[in-house]
């Protein structure tokens, strides 16, 4: 990420500046589109800030701030894009799911997301759910899921098949499928597609973003 000062248009921009970073044009475009309640596909090379592009949009939306005035002139419409959210939304329960096909990356993604939440003052908890998750942690998640859950296709299917699944996902606003190029055309990709279909039926206002790797 570029290291130079910039005007802090959003809470995430302010956090970037505190780290000595500057948001990139594609990240700011992502944040604007997500503030408008849109779904889409992010196509970018590895190492360019895809995680913060998507997660920053979710954080900015939760904090209810304008992203880029030129792209979000109708502020009232943007803030009402996903019903049921209040300013600085810290309502308990699952608000976002992040699917990763690489179990080893789950903790890294979760740590980055938690760092951003803490940095902007959003009182959200980030957790993981994979084959490595302890029995104790799984039991705790049954009682109270984190605001963001980083998980795998297999673990998500287990959750969807559990008793009371509809209640688990009743506040879900965002579904992110990372590294989609690794899943497309595979059995695991079909698992994600089926899970997404089920989640859209349970939570129609949910928005979906897919991250696709560009090989340079």
């Amino acid at each position: 990420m570029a290291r130079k000062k910039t005007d802090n248009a959003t809470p995430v921009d302010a956090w970037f500046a505190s780290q000595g970073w500057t948001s990139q044009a594609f990240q700011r475009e992502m944040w604007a589109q997500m503030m408008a309640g849109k779904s889409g596909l992010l196509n970018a090379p590895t190492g360019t800030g895809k995680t913060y592009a998507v997660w920053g949009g979710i954080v900015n939306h939760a904090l209810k701030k304008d992203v880029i005035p030129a792209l979000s002139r109708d502020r009232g419409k943007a803030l009402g894009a996903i019903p049921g959210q209040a300013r600085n939304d810290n309502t308990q329960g699952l608000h976002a799911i992040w699917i990763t096909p690489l179990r080893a990356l789950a903790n890294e993604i979760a740590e980055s997301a938690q760092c951003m939440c803490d940095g902007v003052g959003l009182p959200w908890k980030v957790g993981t759910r994979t084959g490595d998750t302890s029995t104790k942690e799984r039991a705790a998640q049954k009682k109270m899921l984190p605001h963001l859950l980083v998980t795998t296709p297999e673990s998500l299917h287990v959750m969807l098949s559990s008793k009371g699944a509809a209640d688990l996902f009743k506040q879900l606003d965002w579904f992110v499928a990372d590294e989609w190029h690794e899943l497309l055309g595979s059995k695991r990709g079909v698992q994600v597609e089926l899970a997404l279909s089920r989640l859209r039926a349970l939570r129609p206002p949910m928005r979906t973003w897919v991250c696709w790797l560009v090989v340079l």
Side-chain angles (χ1 to χ4, degrees):
M1 294 179 184
R3 291 192 172 262
K4 63 180 181 179
K5 294 182 179 179
T6 187
D7 293 333
N8 299 324
T10 74
V12 174
D13 268 311
W15 180 71
F16 268 43
S18 74
Q19 307 299 306
W21 303 335
T22 290
S23 58
Q24 300 182 63
F26 84 91
Q27 292 173 322
R28 295 191 297 274
E29 174 71 11
M30 279 286 296
W31 301 341
Q33 297 301 320
M34 294 177 79
M35 278 293 291
K38 294 183 179 180
S39 299
L41 183 149
L42 172 60
N43 196 352
T46 293
T48 56
K50 293 199 306 318
T51 298
Y52 284 150
V54 179
W55 185 239
I58 294 173
V59 168
N60 276 330
H61 192 281
L63 290 170
K64 299 301 183 187
K65 299 293 184 180
D66 285 325
V67 181
I68 307 173
L71 295 174
S72 300
R73 291 187 177 91
D74 189 352
R75 185 168 187 265
K77 181 179 180 181
L79 298 187
I82 297 181
Q85 289 196 345
R87 178 175 296 276
N88 203 3
D89 187 0
N90 63 352
T91 306
Q92 292 299 314
L94 186 64
H95 287 265
I97 287 177
W98 190 292
I99 299 294
T100 175
L102 306 174
R103 186 169 61 183
L105 292 181
N107 288 334
E108 179 182 335
I109 295 168
E111 288 171 5
S112 295
Q114 189 67 69
C115 185
M116 180 182 285
C117 287
D118 295 343
V120 301
L122 181 64
W124 277 17
K125 180 181 178 182
V126 179
T128 61
R129 180 72 173 261
T130 70
D132 295 330
T133 304
S134 67
T135 301
K136 180 180 179 180
E137 180 62 19
R138 288 172 187 267
Q141 289 177 357
K142 279 188 176 182
K143 296 178 181 178
M144 181 61 67
L145 282 169
H147 296 87
L148 166 65
L149 185 67
V150 183
T151 188
T152 59
E154 296 83 0
S155 292
L156 177 57
H157 260 262
V158 171
M159 293 175 65
L160 280 167
S161 63
S162 65
K163 184 178 180 179
D167 287 335
L168 291 178
F169 302 107
K170 64 183 180 182
Q171 297 182 89
L172 187 64
D173 292 323
W174 302 95
F175 181 95
V176 181
D178 202 1
E179 307 289 342
W180 184 240
H181 58 281
E182 294 281 351
L183 293 167
L184 188 63
S186 69
K187 179 180 177 180
R188 301 178 82 208
V190 173
Q191 282 184 312
V192 175
E193 291 168 352
L194 291 172
L196 180 56
S197 177
R198 176 62 176 150
L199 289 170
R200 283 177 169 170
L202 292 173
R203 180 68 171 158
M206 183 187 74
R207 300 298 185 258
T208 304
W209 281 89
V210 172
C211 299
W212 186 286
L213 171 66
V214 173
V215 179
L216 298 179

